[in-house]
Amino acid sequence: MQSIQAVSLVSEADAIRAFLDEKKRKRLQSNRESAKRSRVKKQRKLEDLALEKGWLLKDIEEKKKKLEQSEREWHALESENNVLMRTEKMRLAQYLNSLHLLMKNLGISYNKPESTPAEPMFNPWHVPSPNQNFGPVLASAGTLRL
């Protein structure tokens, strides 16, 4: 009877070991599959990031080209503006000289100022300071509407 019990205990121990081995084997298989899914997911993420990097680099290059083009256009416009400003300044100086000559021929006396007045009309790029006096401001009741 003891041998039957011993065989029975060995059989139960083998059955428990087999059951635990099967559980361990399933757990290992599950872990392997999970690790494989994780690697595949990581690989996909890496490929997506590589694609996004390519798009971003392309976008940066396009924006650099647009910026360079805008800078070239800005420099061209600035040069054109400088030429126009010099031309307009010369035209106005000739017109002023013509007016002075006409006044001289008509016998109208004119005292030419030593320097250009600091009025915005004569110097459009000059911003007057708040304490700069341009003379009194005159207003009548007819000009003010409430």
Side-chain angles (χ1 to χ4, degrees):
M1 185 114 182
Q2 280 186 344
S3 69
I4 296 175
Q5 284 180 345
V7 169
S8 173
L9 287 176
V10 170
S11 299
E12 280 183 39
D14 286 342
I16 291 172
R17 241 184 260 120
F19 176 74
L20 291 177
D21 287 344
E22 182 61 22
K23 264 182 99 172
K24 185 177 179 181
R25 188 190 64 73
K26 285 182 180 180
R27 189 177 67 245
L28 286 174
Q29 183 63 29
S30 175
N31 286 349
R32 285 186 192 111
E33 290 170 2
S34 177
K36 184 176 182 178
R37 285 190 305 269
S38 181
R39 285 190 301 272
V40 168
K41 183 178 176 183
K42 185 177 178 181
Q43 184 63 36
R44 260 192 309 234
K45 182 69 173 169
L46 188 62
E47 289 168 358
D48 290 346
L49 289 172
L51 283 173
E52 186 178 358
K53 177 186 174 186
W55 294 331
L56 290 172
L57 289 173
K58 183 179 177 183
D59 189 44
I60 288 171
E61 281 304 311
E62 289 173 1
K63 289 185 177 173
K64 277 183 183 178
K65 288 178 183 177
K66 284 182 181 179
L67 176 63
E68 289 169 358
Q69 179 62 29
S70 295
E71 286 175 344
R72 283 192 297 273
E73 290 172 3
W74 181 79
H75 287 298
L77 288 172
E78 185 179 39
S79 296
E80 182 181 350
N81 189 42
N82 288 338
V83 168
L84 291 172
M85 290 289 287
R86 282 192 302 270
T87 304
E88 184 68 8
K89 186 176 180 180
M90 287 175 23
R91 188 187 69 76
L92 289 172
Q94 289 173 348
Y95 181 70
L96 186 59
N97 285 336
S98 298
L99 288 176
H100 288 160
L101 184 60
L102 180 63
M103 289 173 68
K104 183 179 175 185
N105 288 341
L106 293 174
I108 301 171
S109 64
Y110 172 74
N111 293 332
K112 189 174 181 181
E114 294 297 320
S115 65
T116 306
E119 291 185 29
M121 187 174 100
F122 293 108
N123 188 358
W125 303 117
H126 172 73
V127 178
S129 62
N131 55 0
Q132 190 173 359
N133 188 5
F134 289 108
V137 177
L138 302 174
S140 67
T143 60
L144 296 176
R145 293 186 184 164
L146 299 174

